[in-house]
């Protein structure tokens, strides 16, 4: 009996070691943290936080964490609520102004709606900062928005965005449904 327990314990340890050492492909994007990049991003966000042109809004999910926005144009349309989708024209930039993503109008048409306020099944859900900031906007609003790393891609980054990256979006809420 003792021998069976010993073999079982050994196999259990071996399995645990194997599974704990393996990573899901989604857990490792191959990007290493860059301390200089992180410091520059944090400095830019601190600069924006002091700029009187920007208003701050606290995260729903992370108390004490703020996003900053400047109203470029005010709309008077519907405000998204939980369960809706939003059509957004946007350009995403790093702290240094480099564009990393864009969905600007092409011939006056954007066909993609972002499921910003979870249906739970759709994979078309953006970063937490988007989900939260869009709930403060109305259709027709165009804002310059700064999202801290923890409400973006966090300490992991993604395939093209380094860990601890502050994100800047110029975004216009075109429609909700």
């Amino acid at each position: 009996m003792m021998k069976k327990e010993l073999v079982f314990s050994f196999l259990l340890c071996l399995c645990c070691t194997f599974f704990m050492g393996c990573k899901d492909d989604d857990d490792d994007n191959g990007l290493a943290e860059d301390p200089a990049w992180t410091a520059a991003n944090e400095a830019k966000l601190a600069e924006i936080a002091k700029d009187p042109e920007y208003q701050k809004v606290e995260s729903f999910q992370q108390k004490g964490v703020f996003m900053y926005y400047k109203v470029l144009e005010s709309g008077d349309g519907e405000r998204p609520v939980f369960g809706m989708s939003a059509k957004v024209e946007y350009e995403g930039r790093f702290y240094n102004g480099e564009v990393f993503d864009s969905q600007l109008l092409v011939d006056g048409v954007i066909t993609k709606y972002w499921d910003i306020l979870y249906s739970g099944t759709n994979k078309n859900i953006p970063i937490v900062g988007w989900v939260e900031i869009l709930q403060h906007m109305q259709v027709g609003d165009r804002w310059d928005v700064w999202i801290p790393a923890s409400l973006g891609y966090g300490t992991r980054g993604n395939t093209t965005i380094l860990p601890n990256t502050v994100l800047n979006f110029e975004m216009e809420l075109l429609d909700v449904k």
Side-chain angles (χ1 to χ4, degrees):
M1 186 74 152
M2 181 75 160
K3 188 175 181 180
K4 281 185 181 180
E5 289 172 350
L6 191 58
V7 170
F8 178 76
S9 294
F10 173 75
L11 290 175
L12 183 60
C13 288
L14 186 62
C15 288
C16 287
T17 303
F18 173 76
F19 285 113
M20 291 175 75
C22 293
K23 289 187 176 181
D24 186 344
D25 288 343
D26 292 339
D27 289 342
D28 185 8
N29 60 21
L31 296 175
E33 183 175 348
D34 179 345
W37 177 260
T38 298
N41 276 268
E42 289 171 356
K44 182 62 177 184
L45 192 61
E47 176 187 320
I48 293 296
K50 293 177 187 173
D51 188 328
E53 291 188 80
Y54 285 87
Q55 299 176 51
K56 71 178 180 179
V57 61
E58 187 174 20
S59 169
F60 302 134
Q61 295 183 27
Q62 297 179 28
K63 296 300 178 195
V65 175
F66 295 92
M67 295 167 284
Y68 300 90
Y69 68 93
K70 176 170 51 174
V71 176
L72 303 174
E73 291 179 26
S74 292
D76 59 2
E78 188 174 0
R79 187 179 307 275
V81 294
F82 190 81
M84 289 182 147
S85 295
K87 186 187 279 190
V88 180
E89 179 181 35
Y90 68 90
E91 183 171 82
R93 297 180 291 266
F94 296 125
Y95 80 94
N96 60 8
E98 179 186 342
V99 174
F100 66 84
D101 193 12
S102 180
Q103 177 144 0
L104 300 176
L105 289 172
V106 177
D107 298 326
V109 177
I110 289 182
T111 57
K112 185 177 190 177
Y113 277 82
W114 290 95
D115 289 325
I116 60 157
L117 306 169
Y118 303 134
S119 65
T121 56
N122 195 314
K123 300 290 186 196
N124 197 23
I125 299 171
I127 59 173
V128 171
W130 261 55
V131 171
E132 292 195 11
I133 202 72
L134 283 169
Q135 293 177 72
H136 294 278
M137 297 177 77
Q138 293 177 256
V139 171
D141 280 347
R142 188 168 63 90
W143 290 1
D144 181 46
V145 177
W146 288 85
I147 298 174
S150 66
L151 298 174
Y153 295 99
T155 58
R156 289 184 46 216
N158 79 0
T159 56
T160 59
I161 297 175
L162 288 173
N164 301 312
T165 296
V166 170
L167 303 172
N168 173 227
F169 292 95
E170 184 173 317
M171 53 200 303
E172 182 176 359
L173 181 54
L174 300 173
D175 190 21
V176 294
K177 65 178 184 175

